[in-house]
Amino acid sequence: MDKIKAFLFDLDGVLVSTEYNHFLAWQRCAHSLDIAFTEKENERLKGVSRADSLKLILELGNKPISHSEFEALLKSKNDFYLESIQSLNQAHLLPGVLPLLIAAKNNGILLGVGSSSKNAHFILDKLDISQYFEVIIDGNGVKDPKPHPEVFLNGAKALGLHPSACLVFEDAASGIAAAKAGGFTAVGVGNPNIAALADIYLNDLTEFRVAQYA
Ligand SMILES: [Mg+2]
């Protein structure tokens, strides 16, 4: 294996979790239609697209709505979500993130983010960690979503490195697949379902030892 010179991170589920923010946004939409919606119902929405999530909620409430109402609700959901992530701050970082970023910097390792989120820059600023990253590739600059490796390949290229010199940290199967397809070493984090797919698996980032790569 080549010497590792950079770490590339997925954002949601690795550095921060905005799952609860998505839940609150869906709950506001459901309540606006008088549909009961708790974390129990929210379980069914995990990994489901925005439009399909709304269809599920409407099924739950047995509330048929018009196409234009459907489109308006999709927009409301995103607006509610954007509103709720306004209050993110460094306390919302997942365990081990900040010590890892600091240790990596102290050891001369380059850092990047490769996220499908169009809000990645905004969220990183709110978390007050943008300054740690040499490169941030978000959903705005990428043609092919994960499991295509484009987002991570763009990150490695921007750092002037071959994928074999980069670790990719991911919590989703599609992200691990993207990393492997791109020729990266894939570190799975916090999702037991991907443990067998990843090259290295960690329950959370507190288990990661930067010194191994120094
Ligand atoms: Mg993720």
Side-chain angles (χ1 to χ4, degrees):
M1 195 164 75
D2 290 11
K3 177 156 170 52
I4 295 298
K5 296 190 173 127
F7 299 162
L8 299 175
F9 298 87
D10 171 47
L11 174 60
D12 209 352
V14 174
L15 301 177
V16 66
S17 175
T18 63
E19 215 165 67
Y20 190 67
N21 303 78
H22 284 289
F23 161 64
L24 290 179
W26 279 127
Q27 192 179 50
R28 276 179 73 175
C29 287
H31 287 177
S32 74
L33 296 166
D34 281 324
I35 298 171
F37 189 79
T38 67
E39 288 188 76
K40 182 171 154 269
E41 285 83 34
N42 189 54
E43 280 301 307
R44 295 180 53 188
L45 270 45
K46 292 192 175 156
V48 175
S49 73
R50 199 191 302 173
D52 287 340
S53 292
L54 181 52
K55 283 182 200 158
L56 274 170
I57 291 172
L58 294 170
E59 273 171 39
L60 280 172
N62 198 16
K63 293 256 162 108
I65 59 172
S66 71
H67 178 73
S68 62
E69 286 172 312
F70 188 88
E71 292 301 317
L73 268 171
L74 286 184
K75 183 177 180 307
S76 296
K77 190 274 170 175
N78 197 47
D79 290 344
F80 293 153
Y81 171 71
L82 292 175
E83 195 184 309
S84 88
I85 60 175
Q86 298 287 335
S87 56
L88 284 177
N89 61 55
Q90 208 165 71
H92 292 94
L93 287 173
L94 288 171
V97 171
L98 199 56
L100 194 168
L101 298 179
I102 292 169
K105 279 283 155 206
N106 289 342
N107 284 285
I109 290 166
L110 302 175
L111 299 175
V113 170
S115 167
S116 325
S117 169
K118 293 199 160 78
N119 304 310
H121 281 271
F122 177 80
I123 292 172
L124 291 166
D125 283 346
K126 284 283 169 191
L127 296 170
D128 196 19
I129 55 171
S130 296
Q131 65 275 21
Y132 289 98
F133 300 101
E134 274 77 23
V135 58
I136 297 167
I137 311 281
D138 67 14
N140 296 303
V142 172
K143 244 187 6 270
D144 295 308
K146 300 169 188 175
H148 192 284
E150 183 182 354
V151 66
F152 295 127
L153 290 174
N154 288 356
K157 198 172 162 202
L159 295 173
L161 294 174
H162 191 269
S164 59
C166 308
L167 294 187
V168 165
F169 293 77
E170 257 292 348
D171 72 309
S174 61
I176 295 289
K180 302 290 286 179
F184 297 88
T185 300
V187 183
V189 187
N191 172 4
N193 297 328
I194 60 168
L197 308 171
D199 297 303
I200 300 163
Y201 180 73
L202 312 167
N203 292 303
D204 67 40
L205 290 179
T206 62
E207 294 178 359
F208 187 75
R209 295 288 164 263
V210 172
Q212 269 181 274
Y213 301 95

